[in-house]
Amino acid sequence: MSKKMIIANWKMNPLTSKEAEKLFTGVAKEVSTIKKTEIAICPPSIYLDILKKIRTSKIKLGAQDAFYGDMGAFTGEVSAQMLYNIGAKYVILGHSERRAQGETNVFINKKIKSALDASLIPILCVGENIRDENHGYFNLVKMQLEECLSGISKNSVSKIIIAYEPVWAISTTVNRKDATSADSLEMAIFIRKILSDKFGPEASKMRIIYGGSVNEKDCADFLKNGGVDGLLAGRASLDAKKFVEIIKICEASSK
Ligand code: 13P
């Protein structure tokens, strides 16, 4: 089994490159002994170049989005190939905060294919906005997976990481609720079934992680009981101490 992953999504933070360096260094200096956990930090892409220069073999860099194609007339966009060239290894795609701005499954699908072509590892975010009584959210997640992964070959599917992020549990969602490790487990099982129906045995190599207000207090429970291979942290990753604590808890929980 592959290592567990702890991934930071800094979102549109922090405000300056100095603060970004400080936050990154604050994590890097505490994780030199980590062996059983993969760590990735996804800052705003403008900071990738500076952070790449901070020496650490323990932390990989990722981006929070990547446009399809290599280059061309796409004002304001950055391609997967450009991000790879600058040192990114991962890219978050289909985050709910981008979907809220109109990003569709079809569009995300194009981006996943481009990311794979550029040798970036896509972290595909799926998750429902609300939980309805009729359990329609299962169908929604199924559709997100099927449309976003449409036309992806069985050979490349093992590289893709699926992040289940229920939007109602994200720290910035108004009137948010806590998701439990049981919510995560139930959805992780469901996602695994869809992936294995679609891709066969190769699907067992795909990692499923959980995100939605994870913190240093509940991460052990999600890692132990949530049926997932890692965590995607937003707010908690903006505090070096808290993020390091999550990494160390993950490390201690890994066999
Ligand atoms: P929070 O941890 O702030 O809820 O963010 C989760 C998330 O959206 C990570 O991608």
Side-chain angles (χ1 to χ4, degrees):
M1 191 60 203
S2 48
K3 289 180 184 179
K4 292 224 158 129
M5 296 210 66
I6 302 295
I7 305 177
N9 177 6
W10 284 3
K11 308 192 179 183
M12 200 168 72
N13 300 289
L15 198 52
T16 66
S17 53
K18 276 268 162 298
E19 289 169 273
E21 279 183 273
K22 188 167 170 236
L23 177 54
F24 189 91
T25 313
V27 178
K29 69 178 168 46
E30 298 295 333
V31 296
S32 57
T33 56
I34 297 294
K35 289 194 177 66
K36 292 175 275 183
T37 306
E38 266 179 63
I39 309 164
I41 291 182
C42 304
S45 54
I46 192 162
Y47 300 141
L48 283 169
D49 200 32
I50 310 158
L51 300 183
K52 180 184 70 179
K53 292 177 183 126
I54 301 172
R55 288 201 161 268
T56 165
S57 58
K58 300 291 176 183
I59 307 173
K60 301 284 184 286
L61 286 167
Q64 298 171 15
D65 185 38
F67 207 70
Y68 58 81
D70 294 347
M71 53 187 203
F74 298 106
T75 303
E77 300 294 353
V78 176
S79 75
Q81 189 64 57
M82 290 170 182
L83 292 162
Y84 179 81
N85 291 348
I86 211 167
K89 183 159 188 248
Y90 297 90
V91 59
I92 296 171
L93 292 171
H95 192 279
S96 57
E97 286 150 19
R98 298 200 59 82
R99 291 178 188 266
Q101 293 176 53
E103 190 148 305
T104 62
N105 292 331
V106 172
F107 204 49
I108 296 162
N109 176 248
K110 281 177 131 178
K111 291 181 170 186
I112 292 177
K113 288 175 179 162
S114 262
L116 289 168
D117 285 347
S119 305
L120 285 182
I121 297 172
I123 302 161
L124 167 63
C125 297
V126 296
E128 73 283 4
N129 286 335
I130 50 162
R131 287 217 154 177
D132 56 307
E133 282 173 14
N134 300 326
H135 303 287
Y137 54 90
F138 282 115
N139 279 337
L140 183 121
V141 169
K142 182 169 191 254
M143 199 197 291
Q144 288 177 335
L145 288 167
E146 284 180 346
E147 292 185 1
C148 291
L149 298 174
S150 164
I152 307 279
S153 77
K154 284 188 183 175
N155 295 345
S156 45
V157 85
S158 62
K159 299 188 189 95
I160 300 173
I161 297 165
I162 307 293
Y164 171 54
E165 296 210 312
V167 181
W168 49 270
I170 290 179
S171 63
T172 45
T173 298
V174 181
N175 297 327
R176 65 164 298 281
K177 289 202 179 83
D178 278 334
T180 63
S181 56
D183 295 325
S184 167
L185 176 63
E186 180 185 49
M187 191 55 88
I189 292 169
F190 179 72
I191 291 173
R192 282 237 171 269
K193 163 94 177 80
I194 294 184
L195 296 174
S196 104
D197 287 350
K198 192 168 167 53
F199 298 111
E202 274 302 294
S204 64
K205 297 184 195 153
M206 294 174 78
R207 283 189 278 195
I208 301 174
I209 62 175
Y210 170 81
S213 296
V214 288
N215 56 54
E216 71 288 3
K217 296 191 181 79
D218 63 14
C219 64
D221 181 31
F222 277 103
L223 289 165
K224 184 162 181 256
N225 305 313
V228 288
D229 309 302
L231 301 170
L232 178 53
R235 182 176 286 175
S237 74
L238 296 174
D239 180 321
K241 222 172 133 208
K242 286 186 182 165
F243 189 59
V244 167
E245 213 174 318
I246 293 172
I247 294 166
K248 291 192 171 163
I249 289 169
C250 181
E251 181 79 356
S253 76
S254 298
K255 290 173 196 90

PDB file of all heavy atoms in Angstrom, residues 196-234:
ATOM      1  N   SER A 196     -13.940   1.232  -9.147  1.00  0.00           N
ATOM      2  CA  SER A 196     -13.617  -0.136  -9.548  1.00  0.00           C
ATOM      3  C   SER A 196     -14.574  -0.615 -10.647  1.00  0.00           C
ATOM      4  O   SER A 196     -14.158  -1.342 -11.545  1.00  0.00           O
ATOM      5  CB  SER A 196     -13.530  -1.048  -8.335  1.00  0.00           C
ATOM      6  OG  SER A 196     -14.641  -1.851  -8.224  1.00  0.00           O
ATOM      7  N   ASP A 197     -15.824  -0.172 -10.634  1.00  0.00           N
ATOM      8  CA  ASP A 197     -16.741  -0.511 -11.741  1.00  0.00           C
ATOM      9  C   ASP A 197     -16.212   0.071 -13.048  1.00  0.00           C
ATOM     10  O   ASP A 197     -16.333  -0.527 -14.106  1.00  0.00           O
ATOM     11  CB  ASP A 197     -18.151   0.054 -11.492  1.00  0.00           C
ATOM     12  CG  ASP A 197     -18.888  -0.729 -10.410  1.00  0.00           C
ATOM     13  OD1 ASP A 197     -18.373  -1.795 -10.010  1.00  0.00           O
ATOM     14  OD2 ASP A 197     -19.947  -0.266  -9.953  1.00  0.00           O
ATOM     15  N   LYS A 198     -15.653   1.268 -12.959  1.00  0.00           N
ATOM     16  CA  LYS A 198     -15.217   1.978 -14.167  1.00  0.00           C
ATOM     17  C   LYS A 198     -13.845   1.506 -14.676  1.00  0.00           C
ATOM     18  O   LYS A 198     -13.647   1.348 -15.863  1.00  0.00           O
ATOM     19  CB  LYS A 198     -15.181   3.476 -13.854  1.00  0.00           C
ATOM     20  CG  LYS A 198     -15.025   4.373 -15.067  1.00  0.00           C
ATOM     21  CD  LYS A 198     -15.304   5.830 -14.708  1.00  0.00           C
ATOM     22  CE  LYS A 198     -14.870   6.794 -15.798  1.00  0.00           C
ATOM     23  NZ  LYS A 198     -15.396   6.517 -17.123  1.00  0.00           N
ATOM     24  N   PHE A 199     -12.937   1.259 -13.741  1.00  0.00           N
ATOM     25  CA  PHE A 199     -11.553   1.010 -14.162  1.00  0.00           C
ATOM     26  C   PHE A 199     -11.030  -0.391 -13.824  1.00  0.00           C
ATOM     27  O   PHE A 199      -9.879  -0.705 -14.140  1.00  0.00           O
ATOM     28  CB  PHE A 199     -10.616   2.051 -13.543  1.00  0.00           C
ATOM     29  CG  PHE A 199     -10.917   3.463 -13.985  1.00  0.00           C
ATOM     30  CD1 PHE A 199     -11.443   4.388 -13.099  1.00  0.00           C
ATOM     31  CD2 PHE A 199     -10.668   3.861 -15.294  1.00  0.00           C
ATOM     32  CE1 PHE A 199     -11.721   5.683 -13.507  1.00  0.00           C
ATOM     33  CE2 PHE A 199     -10.939   5.160 -15.711  1.00  0.00           C
ATOM     34  CZ  PHE A 199     -11.472   6.074 -14.815  1.00  0.00           C
ATOM     35  N   GLY A 200     -11.826  -1.190 -13.141  1.00  0.00           N
ATOM     36  CA  GLY A 200     -11.373  -2.543 -12.793  1.00  0.00           C
ATOM     37  C   GLY A 200     -10.306  -2.513 -11.714  1.00  0.00           C
ATOM     38  O   GLY A 200     -10.231  -1.563 -10.927  1.00  0.00           O
ATOM     39  N   PRO A 201      -9.440  -3.535 -11.692  1.00  0.00           N
ATOM     40  CA  PRO A 201      -8.470  -3.683 -10.598  1.00  0.00           C
ATOM     41  C   PRO A 201      -7.514  -2.489 -10.439  1.00  0.00           C
ATOM     42  O   PRO A 201      -7.050  -2.215  -9.341  1.00  0.00           O
ATOM     43  CB  PRO A 201      -7.678  -4.929 -10.981  1.00  0.00           C
ATOM     44  CG  PRO A 201      -8.475  -5.629 -12.020  1.00  0.00           C
ATOM     45  CD  PRO A 201      -9.389  -4.647 -12.650  1.00  0.00           C
ATOM     46  N   GLU A 202      -7.243  -1.778 -11.545  1.00  0.00           N
ATOM     47  CA  GLU A 202      -6.342  -0.608 -11.463  1.00  0.00           C
ATOM     48  C   GLU A 202      -6.841   0.423 -10.447  1.00  0.00           C
ATOM     49  O   GLU A 202      -6.074   1.170  -9.851  1.00  0.00           O
ATOM     50  CB  GLU A 202      -6.242   0.082 -12.836  1.00  0.00           C
ATOM     51  CG  GLU A 202      -5.201  -0.497 -13.748  1.00  0.00           C
ATOM     52  CD  GLU A 202      -3.803  -0.467 -13.167  1.00  0.00           C
ATOM     53  OE1 GLU A 202      -3.275   0.636 -12.981  1.00  0.00           O
ATOM     54  OE2 GLU A 202      -3.253  -1.543 -12.875  1.00  0.00           O
ATOM     55  N   ALA A 203      -8.161   0.465 -10.266  1.00  0.00           N
ATOM     56  CA  ALA A 203      -8.770   1.462  -9.378  1.00  0.00           C
ATOM     57  C   ALA A 203      -8.285   1.296  -7.938  1.00  0.00           C
ATOM     58  O   ALA A 203      -8.261   2.266  -7.171  1.00  0.00           O
ATOM     59  CB  ALA A 203     -10.280   1.360  -9.434  1.00  0.00           C
ATOM     60  N   SER A 204      -7.873   0.077  -7.588  1.00  0.00           N
ATOM     61  CA  SER A 204      -7.446  -0.138  -6.198  1.00  0.00           C
ATOM     62  C   SER A 204      -6.145   0.612  -5.896  1.00  0.00           C
ATOM     63  O   SER A 204      -5.783   0.803  -4.741  1.00  0.00           O
ATOM     64  CB  SER A 204      -7.285  -1.632  -5.915  1.00  0.00           C
ATOM     65  OG  SER A 204      -6.243  -2.121  -6.726  1.00  0.00           O
ATOM     66  N   LYS A 205      -5.439   1.046  -6.956  1.00  0.00           N
ATOM     67  CA  LYS A 205      -4.204   1.809  -6.732  1.00  0.00           C
ATOM     68  C   LYS A 205      -4.469   3.300  -6.552  1.00  0.00           C
ATOM     69  O   LYS A 205      -3.554   4.063  -6.256  1.00  0.00           O
ATOM     70  CB  LYS A 205      -3.265   1.615  -7.927  1.00  0.00           C
ATOM     71  CG  LYS A 205      -2.813   0.188  -8.131  1.00  0.00           C
ATOM     72  CD  LYS A 205      -1.801   0.128  -9.279  1.00  0.00           C
ATOM     73  CE  LYS A 205      -1.605  -1.293  -9.750  1.00  0.00           C
ATOM     74  NZ  LYS A 205      -1.196  -1.361 -11.153  1.00  0.00           N
ATOM     75  N   MET A 206      -5.702   3.720  -6.796  1.00  0.00           N
ATOM     76  CA  MET A 206      -6.006   5.165  -6.675  1.00  0.00           C
ATOM     77  C   MET A 206      -6.162   5.530  -5.202  1.00  0.00           C
ATOM     78  O   MET A 206      -6.743   4.779  -4.432  1.00  0.00           O
ATOM     79  CB  MET A 206      -7.305   5.497  -7.416  1.00  0.00           C
ATOM     80  CG  MET A 206      -7.211   5.315  -8.904  1.00  0.00           C
ATOM     81  SD  MET A 206      -8.813   5.549  -9.718  1.00  0.00           S
ATOM     82  CE  MET A 206      -8.943   7.337  -9.741  1.00  0.00           C
ATOM     83  N   ARG A 207      -5.652   6.701  -4.856  1.00  0.00           N
ATOM     84  CA  ARG A 207      -5.803   7.128  -3.474  1.00  0.00           C
ATOM     85  C   ARG A 207      -7.032   8.025  -3.318  1.00  0.00           C
ATOM     86  O   ARG A 207      -7.300   8.861  -4.164  1.00  0.00           O
ATOM     87  CB  ARG A 207      -4.557   7.857  -3.006  1.00  0.00           C
ATOM     88  CG  ARG A 207      -3.460   6.849  -2.706  1.00  0.00           C
ATOM     89  CD  ARG A 207      -2.286   7.474  -2.048  1.00  0.00           C
ATOM     90  NE  ARG A 207      -1.443   8.086  -3.027  1.00  0.00           N
ATOM     91  CZ  ARG A 207      -0.186   8.473  -2.777  1.00  0.00           C
ATOM     92  NH1 ARG A 207       0.329   8.307  -1.578  1.00  0.00           N
ATOM     93  NH2 ARG A 207       0.544   9.027  -3.700  1.00  0.00           N
ATOM     94  N   ILE A 208      -7.734   7.812  -2.220  1.00  0.00           N
ATOM     95  CA  ILE A 208      -8.875   8.664  -1.892  1.00  0.00           C
ATOM     96  C   ILE A 208      -8.519   9.392  -0.595  1.00  0.00           C
ATOM     97  O   ILE A 208      -8.086   8.752   0.376  1.00  0.00           O
ATOM     98  CB  ILE A 208     -10.168   7.834  -1.697  1.00  0.00           C
ATOM     99  CG1 ILE A 208     -10.487   7.058  -2.978  1.00  0.00           C
ATOM    100  CG2 ILE A 208     -11.336   8.745  -1.316  1.00  0.00           C
ATOM    101  CD1 ILE A 208     -11.666   6.098  -2.843  1.00  0.00           C
ATOM    102  N   ILE A 209      -8.664  10.707  -0.608  1.00  0.00           N
ATOM    103  CA  ILE A 209      -8.357  11.469   0.601  1.00  0.00           C
ATOM    104  C   ILE A 209      -9.592  12.284   1.003  1.00  0.00           C
ATOM    105  O   ILE A 209     -10.530  12.416   0.219  1.00  0.00           O
ATOM    106  CB  ILE A 209      -7.108  12.375   0.407  1.00  0.00           C
ATOM    107  CG1 ILE A 209      -7.342  13.423  -0.682  1.00  0.00           C
ATOM    108  CG2 ILE A 209      -5.887  11.524   0.043  1.00  0.00           C
ATOM    109  CD1 ILE A 209      -6.174  14.408  -0.822  1.00  0.00           C
ATOM    110  N   TYR A 210      -9.566  12.802   2.230  1.00  0.00           N
ATOM    111  CA  TYR A 210     -10.707  13.578   2.726  1.00  0.00           C
ATOM    112  C   TYR A 210     -10.289  15.017   3.021  1.00  0.00           C
ATOM    113  O   TYR A 210      -9.189  15.259   3.542  1.00  0.00           O
ATOM    114  CB  TYR A 210     -11.281  12.939   4.012  1.00  0.00           C
ATOM    115  CG  TYR A 210     -12.293  13.865   4.650  1.00  0.00           C
ATOM    116  CD1 TYR A 210     -13.600  13.916   4.166  1.00  0.00           C
ATOM    117  CD2 TYR A 210     -11.916  14.755   5.664  1.00  0.00           C
ATOM    118  CE1 TYR A 210     -14.507  14.827   4.684  1.00  0.00           C
ATOM    119  CE2 TYR A 210     -12.827  15.654   6.190  1.00  0.00           C
ATOM    120  CZ  TYR A 210     -14.118  15.692   5.697  1.00  0.00           C
ATOM    121  OH  TYR A 210     -15.007  16.608   6.198  1.00  0.00           O
ATOM    122  N   GLY A 211     -11.164  15.946   2.696  1.00  0.00           N
ATOM    123  CA  GLY A 211     -10.935  17.347   3.065  1.00  0.00           C
ATOM    124  C   GLY A 211     -12.230  18.003   3.499  1.00  0.00           C
ATOM    125  O   GLY A 211     -13.305  17.686   2.981  1.00  0.00           O
ATOM    126  N   GLY A 212     -12.128  18.921   4.443  1.00  0.00           N
ATOM    127  CA  GLY A 212     -13.293  19.639   4.963  1.00  0.00           C
ATOM    128  C   GLY A 212     -13.076  19.903   6.422  1.00  0.00           C
ATOM    129  O   GLY A 212     -13.433  19.089   7.269  1.00  0.00           O
ATOM    130  N   SER A 213     -12.389  21.040   6.700  1.00  0.00           N
ATOM    131  CA  SER A 213     -12.123  21.461   8.084  1.00  0.00           C
ATOM    132  C   SER A 213     -11.311  20.467   8.895  1.00  0.00           C
ATOM    133  O   SER A 213     -11.484  20.403  10.118  1.00  0.00           O
ATOM    134  CB  SER A 213     -13.431  21.762   8.828  1.00  0.00           C
ATOM    135  OG  SER A 213     -14.091  22.845   8.240  1.00  0.00           O
ATOM    136  N   VAL A 214     -10.449  19.693   8.239  1.00  0.00           N
ATOM    137  CA  VAL A 214      -9.638  18.790   9.065  1.00  0.00           C
ATOM    138  C   VAL A 214      -8.666  19.614   9.910  1.00  0.00           C
ATOM    139  O   VAL A 214      -8.178  20.653   9.489  1.00  0.00           O
ATOM    140  CB  VAL A 214      -8.847  17.733   8.253  1.00  0.00           C
ATOM    141  CG1 VAL A 214      -9.755  16.673   7.696  1.00  0.00           C
ATOM    142  CG2 VAL A 214      -7.999  18.365   7.179  1.00  0.00           C
ATOM    143  N   ASN A 215      -8.417  19.135  11.103  1.00  0.00           N
ATOM    144  CA  ASN A 215      -7.526  19.865  12.000  1.00  0.00           C
ATOM    145  C   ASN A 215      -6.748  18.876  12.853  1.00  0.00           C
ATOM    146  O   ASN A 215      -6.916  17.653  12.725  1.00  0.00           O
ATOM    147  CB  ASN A 215      -8.325  20.848  12.881  1.00  0.00           C
ATOM    148  CG  ASN A 215      -9.405  20.139  13.664  1.00  0.00           C
ATOM    149  OD1 ASN A 215      -9.135  19.172  14.370  1.00  0.00           O
ATOM    150  ND2 ASN A 215     -10.641  20.596  13.536  1.00  0.00           N
ATOM    151  N   GLU A 216      -5.899  19.437  13.711  1.00  0.00           N
ATOM    152  CA  GLU A 216      -5.008  18.583  14.496  1.00  0.00           C
ATOM    153  C   GLU A 216      -5.782  17.747  15.519  1.00  0.00           C
ATOM    154  O   GLU A 216      -5.259  16.768  16.036  1.00  0.00           O
ATOM    155  CB  GLU A 216      -3.904  19.443  15.136  1.00  0.00           C
ATOM    156  CG  GLU A 216      -4.321  20.365  16.267  1.00  0.00           C
ATOM    157  CD  GLU A 216      -5.148  21.592  15.831  1.00  0.00           C
ATOM    158  OE1 GLU A 216      -5.475  21.742  14.637  1.00  0.00           O
ATOM    159  OE2 GLU A 216      -5.482  22.398  16.717  1.00  0.00           O
ATOM    160  N   LYS A 217      -7.036  18.106  15.769  1.00  0.00           N
ATOM    161  CA  LYS A 217      -7.811  17.352  16.767  1.00  0.00           C
ATOM    162  C   LYS A 217      -8.567  16.176  16.143  1.00  0.00           C
ATOM    163  O   LYS A 217      -8.679  15.122  16.734  1.00  0.00           O
ATOM    164  CB  LYS A 217      -8.795  18.276  17.468  1.00  0.00           C
ATOM    165  CG  LYS A 217      -8.099  19.367  18.257  1.00  0.00           C
ATOM    166  CD  LYS A 217      -9.062  20.122  19.163  1.00  0.00           C
ATOM    167  CE  LYS A 217      -8.329  21.220  19.904  1.00  0.00           C
ATOM    168  NZ  LYS A 217      -8.115  22.400  19.038  1.00  0.00           N
ATOM    169  N   ASP A 218      -9.091  16.388  14.932  1.00  0.00           N
ATOM    170  CA  ASP A 218      -9.914  15.303  14.366  1.00  0.00           C
ATOM    171  C   ASP A 218      -9.193  14.469  13.304  1.00  0.00           C
ATOM    172  O   ASP A 218      -9.739  13.481  12.810  1.00  0.00           O
ATOM    173  CB  ASP A 218     -11.246  15.849  13.811  1.00  0.00           C
ATOM    174  CG  ASP A 218     -11.058  16.825  12.661  1.00  0.00           C
ATOM    175  OD1 ASP A 218      -9.947  16.886  12.105  1.00  0.00           O
ATOM    176  OD2 ASP A 218     -12.021  17.529  12.319  1.00  0.00           O
ATOM    177  N   CYS A 219      -7.964  14.858  12.957  1.00  0.00           N
ATOM    178  CA  CYS A 219      -7.306  14.158  11.839  1.00  0.00           C
ATOM    179  C   CYS A 219      -7.055  12.677  12.149  1.00  0.00           C
ATOM    180  O   CYS A 219      -7.177  11.823  11.267  1.00  0.00           O
ATOM    181  CB  CYS A 219      -6.026  14.879  11.428  1.00  0.00           C
ATOM    182  SG  CYS A 219      -4.764  14.920  12.692  1.00  0.00           S
ATOM    183  N   ALA A 220      -6.733  12.365  13.404  1.00  0.00           N
ATOM    184  CA  ALA A 220      -6.457  10.958  13.751  1.00  0.00           C
ATOM    185  C   ALA A 220      -7.686  10.108  13.481  1.00  0.00           C
ATOM    186  O   ALA A 220      -7.585   8.996  12.941  1.00  0.00           O
ATOM    187  CB  ALA A 220      -6.041  10.854  15.214  1.00  0.00           C
ATOM    188  N   ASP A 221      -8.843  10.628  13.827  1.00  0.00           N
ATOM    189  CA  ASP A 221     -10.095   9.894  13.625  1.00  0.00           C
ATOM    190  C   ASP A 221     -10.367   9.682  12.129  1.00  0.00           C
ATOM    191  O   ASP A 221     -10.698   8.575  11.703  1.00  0.00           O
ATOM    192  CB  ASP A 221     -11.235  10.679  14.299  1.00  0.00           C
ATOM    193  CG  ASP A 221     -12.569   9.974  14.167  1.00  0.00           C
ATOM    194  OD1 ASP A 221     -12.574   8.725  14.114  1.00  0.00           O
ATOM    195  OD2 ASP A 221     -13.607  10.662  14.103  1.00  0.00           O
ATOM    196  N   PHE A 222     -10.197  10.744  11.334  1.00  0.00           N
ATOM    197  CA  PHE A 222     -10.411  10.585   9.885  1.00  0.00           C
ATOM    198  C   PHE A 222      -9.435   9.574   9.294  1.00  0.00           C
ATOM    199  O   PHE A 222      -9.803   8.760   8.454  1.00  0.00           O
ATOM    200  CB  PHE A 222     -10.285  11.933   9.168  1.00  0.00           C
ATOM    201  CG  PHE A 222     -11.559  12.743   9.217  1.00  0.00           C
ATOM    202  CD1 PHE A 222     -11.681  13.816  10.082  1.00  0.00           C
ATOM    203  CD2 PHE A 222     -12.637  12.419   8.409  1.00  0.00           C
ATOM    204  CE1 PHE A 222     -12.857  14.554  10.142  1.00  0.00           C
ATOM    205  CE2 PHE A 222     -13.827  13.144   8.462  1.00  0.00           C
ATOM    206  CZ  PHE A 222     -13.928  14.220   9.336  1.00  0.00           C
ATOM    207  N   LEU A 223      -8.177   9.634   9.752  1.00  0.00           N
ATOM    208  CA  LEU A 223      -7.170   8.726   9.191  1.00  0.00           C
ATOM    209  C   LEU A 223      -7.430   7.278   9.603  1.00  0.00           C
ATOM    210  O   LEU A 223      -7.219   6.350   8.839  1.00  0.00           O
ATOM    211  CB  LEU A 223      -5.768   9.152   9.630  1.00  0.00           C
ATOM    212  CG  LEU A 223      -5.244  10.445   8.974  1.00  0.00           C
ATOM    213  CD1 LEU A 223      -4.036  10.987   9.723  1.00  0.00           C
ATOM    214  CD2 LEU A 223      -4.910  10.221   7.503  1.00  0.00           C
ATOM    215  N   LYS A 224      -7.911   7.108  10.820  1.00  0.00           N
ATOM    216  CA  LYS A 224      -8.120   5.744  11.319  1.00  0.00           C
ATOM    217  C   LYS A 224      -9.458   5.158  10.848  1.00  0.00           C
ATOM    218  O   LYS A 224      -9.527   3.995  10.467  1.00  0.00           O
ATOM    219  CB  LYS A 224      -8.076   5.779  12.863  1.00  0.00           C
ATOM    220  CG  LYS A 224      -8.178   4.431  13.521  1.00  0.00           C
ATOM    221  CD  LYS A 224      -7.687   4.469  14.968  1.00  0.00           C
ATOM    222  CE  LYS A 224      -7.787   3.100  15.587  1.00  0.00           C
ATOM    223  NZ  LYS A 224      -8.918   2.971  16.500  1.00  0.00           N
ATOM    224  N   ASN A 225     -10.496   5.991  10.886  1.00  0.00           N
ATOM    225  CA  ASN A 225     -11.845   5.466  10.665  1.00  0.00           C
ATOM    226  C   ASN A 225     -12.537   5.984   9.407  1.00  0.00           C
ATOM    227  O   ASN A 225     -13.670   5.613   9.137  1.00  0.00           O
ATOM    228  CB  ASN A 225     -12.729   5.803  11.881  1.00  0.00           C
ATOM    229  CG  ASN A 225     -12.113   5.307  13.179  1.00  0.00           C
ATOM    230  OD1 ASN A 225     -11.671   4.158  13.232  1.00  0.00           O
ATOM    231  ND2 ASN A 225     -12.047   6.153  14.194  1.00  0.00           N
ATOM    232  N   GLY A 226     -11.885   6.886   8.691  1.00  0.00           N
ATOM    233  CA  GLY A 226     -12.557   7.534   7.557  1.00  0.00           C
ATOM    234  C   GLY A 226     -12.390   6.813   6.230  1.00  0.00           C
ATOM    235  O   GLY A 226     -12.905   7.274   5.205  1.00  0.00           O
ATOM    236  N   GLY A 227     -11.681   5.698   6.231  1.00  0.00           N
ATOM    237  CA  GLY A 227     -11.538   4.918   4.987  1.00  0.00           C
ATOM    238  C   GLY A 227     -10.704   5.605   3.922  1.00  0.00           C
ATOM    239  O   GLY A 227     -10.847   5.312   2.730  1.00  0.00           O
ATOM    240  N   VAL A 228      -9.840   6.542   4.338  1.00  0.00           N
ATOM    241  CA  VAL A 228      -9.103   7.326   3.342  1.00  0.00           C
ATOM    242  C   VAL A 228      -7.582   7.155   3.472  1.00  0.00           C
ATOM    243  O   VAL A 228      -7.081   6.692   4.493  1.00  0.00           O
ATOM    244  CB  VAL A 228      -9.471   8.832   3.429  1.00  0.00           C
ATOM    245  CG1 VAL A 228     -10.879   9.072   2.887  1.00  0.00           C
ATOM    246  CG2 VAL A 228      -9.324   9.370   4.850  1.00  0.00           C
ATOM    247  N   ASP A 229      -6.909   7.578   2.407  1.00  0.00           N
ATOM    248  CA  ASP A 229      -5.448   7.434   2.326  1.00  0.00           C
ATOM    249  C   ASP A 229      -4.732   8.739   2.634  1.00  0.00           C
ATOM    250  O   ASP A 229      -3.537   8.867   2.334  1.00  0.00           O
ATOM    251  CB  ASP A 229      -5.059   6.980   0.915  1.00  0.00           C
ATOM    252  CG  ASP A 229      -5.844   5.764   0.477  1.00  0.00           C
ATOM    253  OD1 ASP A 229      -5.766   4.748   1.175  1.00  0.00           O
ATOM    254  OD2 ASP A 229      -6.565   5.837  -0.534  1.00  0.00           O
ATOM    255  N   GLY A 230      -5.457   9.697   3.157  1.00  0.00           N
ATOM    256  CA  GLY A 230      -4.808  10.959   3.484  1.00  0.00           C
ATOM    257  C   GLY A 230      -5.818  12.073   3.627  1.00  0.00           C
ATOM    258  O   GLY A 230      -7.039  11.849   3.579  1.00  0.00           O
ATOM    259  N   LEU A 231      -5.291  13.277   3.799  1.00  0.00           N
ATOM    260  CA  LEU A 231      -6.147  14.429   4.092  1.00  0.00           C
ATOM    261  C   LEU A 231      -5.729  15.644   3.272  1.00  0.00           C
ATOM    262  O   LEU A 231      -4.546  15.820   2.968  1.00  0.00           O
ATOM    263  CB  LEU A 231      -6.045  14.780   5.583  1.00  0.00           C
ATOM    264  CG  LEU A 231      -6.434  13.667   6.569  1.00  0.00           C
ATOM    265  CD1 LEU A 231      -6.046  14.054   7.992  1.00  0.00           C
ATOM    266  CD2 LEU A 231      -7.923  13.345   6.491  1.00  0.00           C
ATOM    267  N   LEU A 232      -6.714  16.476   2.950  1.00  0.00           N
ATOM    268  CA  LEU A 232      -6.469  17.735   2.247  1.00  0.00           C
ATOM    269  C   LEU A 232      -6.918  18.851   3.183  1.00  0.00           C
ATOM    270  O   LEU A 232      -8.117  18.980   3.472  1.00  0.00           O
ATOM    271  CB  LEU A 232      -7.261  17.747   0.927  1.00  0.00           C
ATOM    272  CG  LEU A 232      -7.205  18.980   0.028  1.00  0.00           C
ATOM    273  CD1 LEU A 232      -5.767  19.373  -0.297  1.00  0.00           C
ATOM    274  CD2 LEU A 232      -7.964  18.727  -1.278  1.00  0.00           C
ATOM    275  N   ALA A 233      -5.966  19.603   3.681  1.00  0.00           N
ATOM    276  CA  ALA A 233      -6.272  20.614   4.702  1.00  0.00           C
ATOM    277  C   ALA A 233      -6.250  22.015   4.099  1.00  0.00           C
ATOM    278  O   ALA A 233      -5.337  22.355   3.349  1.00  0.00           O
ATOM    279  CB  ALA A 233      -5.249  20.526   5.829  1.00  0.00           C
ATOM    280  N   GLY A 234      -7.244  22.814   4.433  1.00  0.00           N
ATOM    281  CA  GLY A 234      -7.277  24.216   4.008  1.00  0.00           C
ATOM    282  C   GLY A 234      -6.793  25.095   5.138  1.00  0.00           C
ATOM    283  O   GLY A 234      -5.591  25.311   5.316  1.00  0.00           O
TER     284      GLY A 234
END
